[in-house]
Amino acid sequence: MKTRAVLLLALVIAGAYAMFDEINAYNERRFEDLLQSMDVEFQSLVFTTPPIFGAPAKTWVIDDEYEVDQLLQFLQDYRVQKLKPEEITLQDDIEEFNIILKDGTGNTITIVVNENLIIQNSMLYYRIVDGPLDGDWIVRFIASNRS
């Protein structure tokens, strides 16, 4: 009888652990899964650099499919986790390095480089779980696409 009780208790504990683990895994996923849920094909990149030493912020657009694919391949190695509204702490008065992926119908994904943040369609916020982003790669990517 004690053996059954111990086995039942172990089963309940294992089940509770599995449920807890599943709930946490639900919010964390691969960046590639985020893209698949959107089911869009991005066609352009919009780069924005913050103002430096009084110079105005710079923004430019790249419509090169190869460059879009390069960025998506780089990001697919990262995992993201959806943020709850109370976890979002963006400050609008601070300019950031941004890269925006756009498709033809207005869907966007914004990568806020310094914050390791991904914003889907200006509504859903995700943090990069296994970041920070590789800054050297991002700097080379921005520099190679500077117009």
Side-chain angles (χ1 to χ4, degrees):
M1 192 67 145
K2 287 184 179 182
T3 306
R4 286 186 186 173
V6 169
L7 288 175
L8 182 60
L9 181 61
L11 184 61
V12 168
I13 291 172
Y17 177 78
M19 283 188 345
F20 179 76
D21 194 38
E22 184 64 25
I23 290 169
N24 284 338
Y26 176 77
N27 288 332
E28 182 180 321
R29 57 185 168 170
R30 297 178 337 186
F31 179 79
E32 186 175 23
D33 296 337
L34 174 66
L35 288 178
Q36 288 174 353
S37 71
M38 290 181 72
D39 193 32
V40 297
E41 283 205 27
F42 294 105
Q43 301 166 341
S44 63
L45 298 169
V46 179
F47 293 90
T48 304
T49 62
I52 300 173
F53 302 118
K58 294 185 180 181
T59 300
W60 66 97
V61 179
I62 302 293
D63 293 322
D64 186 349
E65 184 179 319
Y66 174 77
E67 296 300 332
V68 171
D69 288 341
Q70 289 291 13
L71 180 62
L72 293 175
Q73 286 178 357
F74 167 72
L75 292 171
Q76 77 180 1
D77 293 333
Y78 289 96
R79 297 185 65 77
V80 296
Q81 183 177 25
K82 187 175 178 180
L83 294 176
K84 297 174 186 171
E86 61 270 12
E87 295 176 317
I88 299 169
T89 59
L90 282 182
Q91 296 178 3
D92 292 337
D93 60 336
I94 297 176
E95 299 283 340
E96 301 282 349
F97 283 102
N98 292 329
I99 303 172
I100 302 171
L101 289 151
K102 284 188 170 186
D103 77 348
T105 61
N107 289 303
T108 62
I109 288 189
T110 303
I111 297 102
V112 183
V113 176
N114 297 350
E115 297 287 331
N116 290 304
L117 189 66
I118 294 176
I119 306 168
Q120 178 185 352
N121 290 328
S122 300
M123 297 183 321
L124 301 174
Y125 290 75
Y126 297 86
R127 71 178 176 90
I128 297 173
V129 176
D130 52 355
L133 289 171
D134 182 353
D136 292 336
W137 190 94
I138 293 286
V139 167
R140 285 192 307 273
F141 184 71
I142 290 172
S144 70
N145 285 290
R146 190 159 193 126
S147 52

